[in-house]
Amino acid sequence: MHTPTIEYGLIAPLIVLIVGAIVSVLAEAFIKRGKRFSVQFAIAVITMAVALGLVCFDWSSQPGAAVMGALSIDGPTRVVWMLLLSFGLLSALLYGERRIGGGASSFAPQGHTVPGSLAERQAIAARQENSEVFALLEMSLFGMLVFSAANDLLTMFVALEILSLPLYVMCALARRRRLLSQEAALKYFMLGAMSSAFFLFGAALLYGYTGSFNFALMDRSITLSTESIGLLLAGTALVTSGVLFKVGAVPFHNWVPDVYTGAPTPVTGFMAICTKIAAFAGLLRVLYVALGGARWDWQLVLVVIALATMLIGAVVGLAQTDVKRLLAYSSIAHAGFIMIAVVGAVTAAGGLAAGESGSVSSVMYYLAAYGLATLGAFAILPMVRRVGGEANGFDAWAGLGRRRPVLAVIMTLFLASMAGIPLTGGFIGKLLAFSAGWQGGYAWLAVVAICLSVVTAAYYFRVVWIMFFKEPDMEVDVVKAGWPTWLVIIIGVVGTVVLGIAPGPVLDLFTGAAQFLR
């Protein structure tokens, strides 16, 4: 037996995050119930802030493999970790918001009680709060960090399960509409288990073809092999399907609208961006590092998936009358737009001209811009309420511009960024993603994406028209939020504007980091 070598400096953010999750579990056992939520909130925020600081502090160090080659701590890994921890920290702020709910959080007081039962009513009367969500958030975020840095398929599979299982639980913990929340969690769990099985079976087939789970060794074997490619094609299809489920791409998108609608809004915001960041990071690593030698086999299939994803997300979104469900189909459409950059497969190794950005940096920039606008929008959603809780129907949002003009203008900015309107981060993100597809030889796909972007803009500005030009429903209340929600909104506004008018520094950072993908 050989003593394992662990590069503690390279994986310090992971260590901090898992230690914070363990401390959260212990706090749940030993802190008094009345103080538990506040303590858990503080632990989560401090843990993520420290982990983010370690990522930034270690930015200029030499990239390399860690934990006996299981993890690759390269440039893209550090960028993805920075994005995940930043958006995870903002999500934790939304988890800790209680002013909107009149002193109660968005989560059920007791997750194990039957909706509407005597036990649940007693828990509500006792003002109990489900504070375990912070430990689940940290566990899921830890899995996302490992998934995006995984250097072999087994590590990636374990990380996939670590990030997924807490999400299944959190989706079932909505304070309002409990049955809908539990139904959403069950759908997510069943379909997620099937996608994990696809991934694992595909990993076994790829091992049978290449003789290794390690990405570099797999790529070398694919390049040099003269065997029949049946196992390679089947394994690639199954592994890619498992990852595309987390992305929300067609035909693996059916869970997105129901889960986004049923889950607690802070959980939906966390899933909408952090799951996408981790999934696209893993997809890029599998396709570019492990299966780069089979590029001509997977590229055309991804073109079809990207086209179908954009089409479904854009067209079906037009029929929605619920803001939360509309954002779900928006998420599907954006997954298709991002996949154009993935399909282009333009890498630094291919020799980029001055002023060009490759697929990896384009995907990262798009996710950063999309995340700021999306998380900001989900921060605003709980503020529009009826007596029974959140009001997400278009009728409830009517006249918001007259009642709360500042809030309506901010929501308009976020929707404009999602639509890709100039001077917003979303416009630069789409420009970079479509340019990467164009450089990769898929100009026609970029043109189709531009046309479908116009379609998505129609339903975004339908919401804007409803907010400013329809009579308000006086039965709907627009409540005031606490400082955590407003901090998320302000960061979203500033980030969306900065990425739209001064993209250079961030793009240079992402482009420089993308050169070290290995």
Side-chain angles (χ1 to χ4, degrees), residues 7 12 82 182 208 301-302 330 483:
E7 296 75 7
M82 180 190 69
Q182 292 178 352
V301 177
L302 286 188
S330 166
W483 67 267

Side-chain angles (χ1 to χ4, degrees), residues 271-354:
M271 285 194 304
I273 179 57
C274 287
T275 304
K276 262 190 174 49
I277 292 174
F280 270 111
L283 184 66
L284 288 170
R285 199 169 290 281
V286 168
L287 295 180
Y288 289 7
V289 180
L291 302 175
R295 169 180 167 180
W296 301 111
D297 296 315
W298 55 256
Q299 206 165 19
L300 185 58
V301 177
L302 286 188
V303 168
V304 176
I305 293 175
L307 184 60
T309 303
M310 292 186 294
L311 187 63
I312 295 296
V315 174
V316 181
L318 290 171
Q320 304 308 308
T321 58
D322 182 280
V323 177
K324 204 172 182 182
R325 199 170 183 88
L326 181 146
L327 291 176
Y329 280 99
S330 166
S331 171
I332 295 171
H334 282 289
F337 296 146
I338 298 172
M339 284 182 66
I340 295 176
V342 178
V343 167
V346 180
T347 62
L352 294 177

Side-chain angles (χ1 to χ4, degrees), residues 4-89:
T5 56
I6 300 177
E7 296 75 7
Y8 292 101
L10 291 175
I11 64 169
L14 294 176
I15 296 173
V16 168
L17 204 55
I18 194 63
V19 168
I22 294 171
V23 171
S24 293
V25 173
L26 294 175
E28 194 67 29
F30 293 106
I31 301 297
K32 292 183 179 179
R33 185 180 295 276
K35 300 180 179 179
R36 205 174 286 170
F37 192 90
S38 299
V39 171
Q40 293 279 40
F41 176 53
I43 292 172
V45 170
I46 292 171
T47 297
M48 294 178 196
V50 172
L52 179 59
L54 288 172
V55 172
C56 296
F57 177 77
D58 194 46
W59 195 270
S60 59
S61 64
Q62 188 67 24
V67 196
M68 302 182 69
L71 301 176
S72 182
I73 315 300
D74 51 21
T77 295
R78 291 193 174 110
V79 171
V80 169
W81 282 7
M82 180 190 69
L83 293 176
L84 285 172
L85 290 168
S86 297
F87 287 118
L89 182 57

Side-chain angles (χ1 to χ4, degrees), residues 32-37 98-105 107-110 119-131 175-176:
K32 292 183 179 179
R33 185 180 295 276
K35 300 180 179 179
R36 205 174 286 170
F37 192 90
R98 288 190 285 184
R99 183 177 179 181
I100 291 177
S105 69
F107 302 96
Q110 287 186 347
E120 184 178 65
R121 293 196 296 272
Q122 290 174 340
I124 294 174
R127 299 189 67 84
Q128 295 181 9
E129 291 186 286
N130 199 322
S131 53
R175 178 175 288 272
R176 311 290 182 184

